[in-house]
Amino acid sequence: MLISTETIGKKGADAIVIGGGVMGCAAAYRLAKEGLSVLLLEKTEICADASGRNAGGVRQSARDVRELPLAMYGVQNIWPALGEELGVDVEYVREGNLRLGRTEAHLEKLKALAESSKKVGLDVRMVTGDEAREICPYMSDDVLGASWCPTDGYANPLHTTIGFYRKALAYGAVAVTGVTVLGLGKAKGRIRYVYTDNGVYEAGRVLVAAGYASRAIVNTVGIDVPVEREDEEVFVTEQLPPMFDQVLGTAEADFYGHQTKHGSFLLGGVSGLQHFTSNHDDHPTEAYTAPSLVRGIIRFFPSFANVKIIRCWSGQFDTCVDGVPVISNVEEAPGLTLAFAFTGHGFGISPAVSIAVKELMLDGASTSIDISGLRYDRFKAKQ
Ligand SMILES: Cc1cc2nc3c(=O)[nH]c(=O)nc-3n(C[C@H](O)[C@H](O)[C@H](O)COP(=O)(O)OP(=O)(O)OC[C@H]3O[C@@H](n4cnc5c(N)ncnc54)[C@H](O)[C@@H]3O)c2cc1C
């Protein structure tokens, strides 16, 4: 679909957002609400990539301290009323997260993460295996201990992303799907042009939020962020009677999940075996290694042994070399803002990211949430 200059004004849009995942849709909403004309460009469909394939964890625990302010701000200030704000049930549940350890090495890792998070004010503590089983009685005796964060939770990623998208449209944002952004261009030293397979679009500000495809897009104006595509698998069990409301994860992050309010469990993880499936690149959304993930889960939850899996899929995300995102304006290209490299844990922080992105794009000087550790120029060659 070609968009007319009448729709976005003769001088182009105030802002172009590249990518119709949760980051792009949430940013489009915040910017349109501020009165900017916003054009959202999406290669396939809204919410078709990681944002529509993730497991919905809204977690603060076990995060790098550089992104904890975003995670904590979201849980304290946005998630509890987000459904009301968007006019959709985002199915947010805040009943805590147990991150489980089966070995002394796991417990050491969990302790270190808990200590660093406590220093920035997060309520997270270590519990023994028995205390963990009191919170969630279905776990095997193999669990030696866990970190426990009572304010973690989960939400429905599809409802959330589409909720942001619809609100963006309601405030006048225009979305074009089926258009692939090929690169960016400058005018008088500022970002101005967005080159696509459907012509050139213009805007005073451009947000790149295109997941793992973002690197190639920003490369066209000489910026590089070291991200690569990674795969993760999710599966859904048959409906079960209500068992527990907590989110569960492991020290190695090889599996995590929760029971949805419909009764099915949504379980995800990385088996580490996905690179050994020869046809994965031809069918990137198929889950190939779910059986090995399931074996791992049964070690933690023996009672799951006979539970049926009714669906599974694979999703791709943008893993950054140092494990945290880039949320930043770019000094060499005024008008350009980046929000990608979320490394498989962007959904939970997306509402807070959209506040920071809006502030970066409107003012640029400062943000109300500390994102100082997430700049684009933090990467240095090895000395
Ligand atoms: C299986 C799985 C499980 C996960 N579980 C969790 C979890 O429990 N909790 C959590 O916090 N996070 C989780 N994540 C991570 C989370 O899904 C992502 O961090 C988040 O969705 C990132 O949103 P995004 O908008 O940046 O990216 P995406 O949702 O990937 O959106 C990027 C969009 O850009 C579009 N695009 C790409 N190239 C172009 C182009 N050239 N032109 C125009 N558009 C383009 C894509 O089509 C896509 O729609 C998980 C991810 C996966 C895959």
Side-chain angles (χ1 to χ4, degrees):
M1 167 184 151
L2 256 176
I3 188 158
S4 69
T5 46
E6 222 169 85
T7 320
I8 56 169
K10 285 204 172 67
K11 292 186 177 162
D14 292 328
I16 288 181
V17 172
I18 304 172
V22 69
M23 300 300 170
C25 293
Y29 158 57
R30 303 262 178 232
L31 294 167
K33 196 175 172 189
E34 291 293 326
L36 270 66
S37 60
V38 178
L39 176 61
L40 176 68
L41 301 177
E42 164 53 46
K43 181 176 170 178
T44 60
E45 297 293 336
I46 301 299
C47 195
D49 224 323
S51 301
R53 301 180 163 276
N54 72 63
V58 178
R59 169 173 64 76
Q60 307 151 99
S61 54
R63 281 192 187 262
D64 188 293
V65 288
R66 289 171 290 176
E67 60 178 7
L68 254 179
L70 286 164
M72 290 168 66
Y73 184 91
V75 166
Q76 285 161 15
N77 301 296
I78 312 179
W79 277 109
L82 187 62
E84 222 171 289
E85 182 180 355
L86 300 182
V88 60
D89 182 5
V90 296
E91 298 178 5
Y92 178 55
V93 172
R94 189 168 71 180
E95 291 289 340
N97 182 322
L98 277 172
R99 209 166 174 93
L100 313 172
R102 280 189 297 104
T103 66
E104 286 304 329
H106 289 162
L107 296 186
E108 283 311 310
K109 188 171 181 171
L110 292 170
K111 254 185 239 165
L113 281 164
E115 286 311 316
S116 62
S117 304
K118 269 196 238 175
K119 282 189 191 140
V120 290
L122 182 66
D123 176 11
V124 57
R125 58 183 179 272
M126 293 300 293
V127 295
T128 63
D130 285 341
E131 286 168 331
R133 277 179 286 277
E134 263 172 46
I135 297 168
C136 176
Y138 300 89
M139 285 176 317
S140 77
D141 290 339
D142 279 8
V143 174
L144 289 183
S147 65
W148 167 239
C149 177
T151 55
D152 278 351
Y154 60 87
N156 183 318
L158 293 160
H159 290 192
T160 305
T161 306
I162 297 299
F164 276 126
Y165 174 64
R166 291 202 176 128
K167 270 287 189 191
L169 298 188
Y171 278 101
V174 173
V176 186
T177 56
V179 61
T180 302
V181 172
L182 305 171
L184 306 173
K186 294 182 191 172
K188 296 183 184 160
R190 278 188 68 85
I191 281 292
R192 180 75 202 166
Y193 304 113
V194 177
Y195 302 108
T196 77
D197 61 353
N198 189 27
V200 183
Y201 295 90
E202 289 185 46
R205 304 168 181 87
V206 174
L207 171 68
V208 179
Y212 54 86
S214 303
R215 183 176 193 174
I217 294 172
V218 301
N219 277 178
T220 61
V221 282
I223 307 300
D224 191 44
V225 173
V227 285
E228 62 181 10
R229 197 189 89 174
E230 196 170 325
D231 306 309
E232 191 157 317
E233 294 174 37
V234 171
F235 37 90
V236 181
T237 70
E238 63 184 314
Q239 286 182 315
L240 297 167
M243 289 167 74
F244 53 88
D245 291 323
Q246 292 77 29
V247 181
L248 302 172
T250 59
E252 296 296 341
D254 46 356
F255 114 80
Y256 54 82
H258 64 267
Q259 187 169 26
T260 65
K261 73 173 179 191
H262 321 286
S264 294
F265 273 84
L266 195 61
L267 302 165
V270 183
S271 66
L273 302 172
Q274 63 276 23
H275 303 300
F276 297 90
T277 51
S278 57
N279 50 352
H280 190 262
D281 277 346
D282 298 333
H283 305 278
T285 56
E286 282 179 31
Y288 288 97
T289 69
S292 22
L293 279 167
V294 169
R295 278 180 213 116
I297 292 171
I298 292 171
R299 289 183 71 182
F300 286 95
F301 290 96
S303 58
F304 274 21
N306 294 317
V307 170
K308 292 187 185 62
I309 290 173
I310 55 168
R311 277 190 299 136
C312 57
W313 62 82
S314 170
Q316 286 76 43
F317 55 82
D318 41 356
T319 285
C320 191
V321 68
D322 65 355
V324 291
V326 166
I327 304 167
S328 177
N329 282 345
V330 176
E331 274 86 42
E332 297 95 314
L336 176 61
T337 304
L338 314 181
F340 61 92
F342 287 96
T343 313
H345 36 75
F347 171 68
I349 57 174
S350 58
V353 171
S354 67
I355 303 263
V357 164
K358 178 196 77 176
E359 291 170 350
L360 285 172
M361 293 181 78
L362 286 183
D363 167 18
S366 62
T367 53
S368 48
I369 308 166
D370 179 12
I371 51 166
S372 53
L374 306 177
R375 282 181 53 84
Y376 73 104
D377 56 359
R378 66 178 187 262
F379 308 103
K380 306 273 186 295
K382 280 188 183 160
Q383 301 296 317

